[in-house]
């Protein structure tokens, strides 16, 4: 799957795809089938020079291009499911489409006899160790600390897909709003920043447990029999506190008063 910003990018992307098929799989493209879109007009001379047949469907009959239409629908259905699940902004639709293609190519298909499209092409089973939940929270190692001992060691990110040609993950930094690839990542696959902005807290949430309790509401420790209470007073007027400080003066029994 190639993401295009403009239809004029078709020529460059198709030439890359043509070279990749020839180099990686020692195969040749014989037929290209499309609807009546104008984006392939720039490739007519190239098709003729390479002996490639170019077929188009009739106007208003998309069923003549049914295989492409069904694959397009399959790809968008998976991409929408990923998008809805993580509540991602619509600007990330391209990343959802690329992730959907990555997952489809590694999913067993009944059409291929229960094997994956990846295995059909590369003759080996795909590795599933890198699979993660799209849109989940993750922390990548911060390589921009520049020796600062008090700089943050992690970058709070969202998992956005799989890096092509790299053994890493494609991430979106929530603070700088930039994309980058990293292999040093810790994932929280049950938390989604765009769906639930509050970050997960491991252990006890200390901030939620810290509450101010008036001293008058606290139970007093038992006083030893060898001591007697000489003076008990609240110094809230002196210190400007409101039932927050309790002053207890204790002197031994029998000592001079």
């Amino acid at each position: 799957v190639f993401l295009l910003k403009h239809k004029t990018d078709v020529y460059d992307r198709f030439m890359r795809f043509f070279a990749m098929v020839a180099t990686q799989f020692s195969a040749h493209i014989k037929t290209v089938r499309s609807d009546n879109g104008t984006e392939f007009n720039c490739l007519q001379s190239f098709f003729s020079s390479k002996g490639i047949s170019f077929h188009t469907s009739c106007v208003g009959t998309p069923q003549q291009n049914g295989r492409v239409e069904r694959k397009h629908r399959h790809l968008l259905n998976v991409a929408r499911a990923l998008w809805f699940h993580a509540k991602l902004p619509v600007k990330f639709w391209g990343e959802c489409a690329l992730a959907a293609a990555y997952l489809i190519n590694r999913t067993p298909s009944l059409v291929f006899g229960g094997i994956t499209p990846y295995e059909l092409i590369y003759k080996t089973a795909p590795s599933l160790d890198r699979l993660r939940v799209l849109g989940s929270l993750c922390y990548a190692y911060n390589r921009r600390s520049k020796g600062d001992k008090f700089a943050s060691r992690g970058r709070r990110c969202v998992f956005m897909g799989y890096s092509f040609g790299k053994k890493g993950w494609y991430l979106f930094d929530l603070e700088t709003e930039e994309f980058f690839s990293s292999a040093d990542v810790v994932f929280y696959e049950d938390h989604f920043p765009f769906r639930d902005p509050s970050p997960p807290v491991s252990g006890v949430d200390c901030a939620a447990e810290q509450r101010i309790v008036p001293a008058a509401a606290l139970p007093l420790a038992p006083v030893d029999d060898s001591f007697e209470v000489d003076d008990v007073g609240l110094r809230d007027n002196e210190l400007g506190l409101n039932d927050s400080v309790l002053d207890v003066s204790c002197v031994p029994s029998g000592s001079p008063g």
Side-chain angles (χ1 to χ4, degrees), residues 23-41:
T23 303
Q24 298 295 328
F25 306 106
S26 300
H28 300 282
I29 298 176
K30 297 182 179 180
T31 304
V32 174
R33 181 174 297 170
S34 174
D35 54 12
N36 288 277
T38 59
E39 58 269 16
F40 287 98
N41 291 341

Side-chain angles (χ1 to χ4, degrees), residues 21-245:
V21 171
T23 303
Q24 298 295 328
F25 306 106
S26 300
H28 300 282
I29 298 176
K30 297 182 179 180
T31 304
V32 174
R33 181 174 297 170
S34 174
D35 54 12
N36 288 277
T38 59
E39 58 269 16
F40 287 98
N41 291 341
C42 59
L43 291 167
Q44 294 289 346
S45 59
F46 176 78
F47 292 155
S48 299
S49 64
K50 297 296 181 180
I52 298 176
S53 300
F54 181 59
H55 299 167
T56 59
S57 59
C58 296
V59 177
T61 55
Q63 61 270 20
Q64 292 185 349
N65 202 21
R67 178 175 296 180
V68 175
E69 297 292 342
R70 288 192 297 272
K71 179 52 64 178
H72 184 259
R73 182 179 62 185
H74 183 201
L75 181 66
L76 289 183
N77 285 342
V78 177
R80 278 194 294 264
L82 298 174
W83 181 64
F84 288 139
H85 180 258
K87 301 291 184 182
L88 295 174
V90 70
K91 64 180 180 180
F92 297 127
W93 69 268
E95 284 70 26
C96 293
L98 293 177
Y102 186 91
L103 296 176
I104 291 173
N105 287 334
R106 287 157 179 79
T107 302
S109 173
L110 293 177
V111 177
F112 300 138
I115 65 175
T116 65
Y118 182 96
E119 187 174 356
L120 186 66
I121 295 177
Y122 293 101
K123 309 304 179 183
T124 182
S127 174
L128 305 180
D129 295 337
R130 297 175 58 224
L131 294 185
R132 298 293 185 274
V133 179
L134 189 76
S136 60
L137 177 68
C138 58
Y139 288 88
Y141 179 69
N142 184 16
R143 301 186 181 277
R144 298 179 177 179
S145 58
K146 297 180 181 179
D148 188 353
K149 300 300 183 182
F150 292 94
S152 175
R153 292 294 186 266
R155 302 172 63 179
R156 189 168 182 260
C157 305
V158 178
F159 171 62
M160 281 297 176
Y162 307 89
S163 300
F164 182 77
K166 297 181 180 179
K167 292 184 178 180
W169 293 278
Y170 193 54
L171 311 176
F172 177 74
D173 193 311
L174 291 171
E175 182 177 354
T176 61
E177 297 187 352
E178 63 179 354
F179 288 95
F180 69 100
S181 299
S182 177
D184 301 321
V185 187
V186 177
F187 290 89
Y188 293 86
E189 298 182 82
D190 57 346
H191 186 80
F192 302 88
F194 291 108
R195 190 175 70 183
D196 182 13
S198 59
V201 179
S202 59
V204 180
D205 188 353
C206 297
E209 296 296 330
Q210 291 179 354
R211 299 182 178 88
I212 299 177
V213 180
L218 297 175
L220 295 177
V223 181
D224 196 336
D225 294 340
S226 61
F227 288 84
E228 62 181 0
V229 177
D230 178 67
D231 181 29
V232 178
L234 292 176
R235 297 188 300 168
D236 54 331
N237 293 330
E238 297 178 8
L239 299 178
L241 302 177
N242 190 10
D243 288 347
S244 297
V245 179

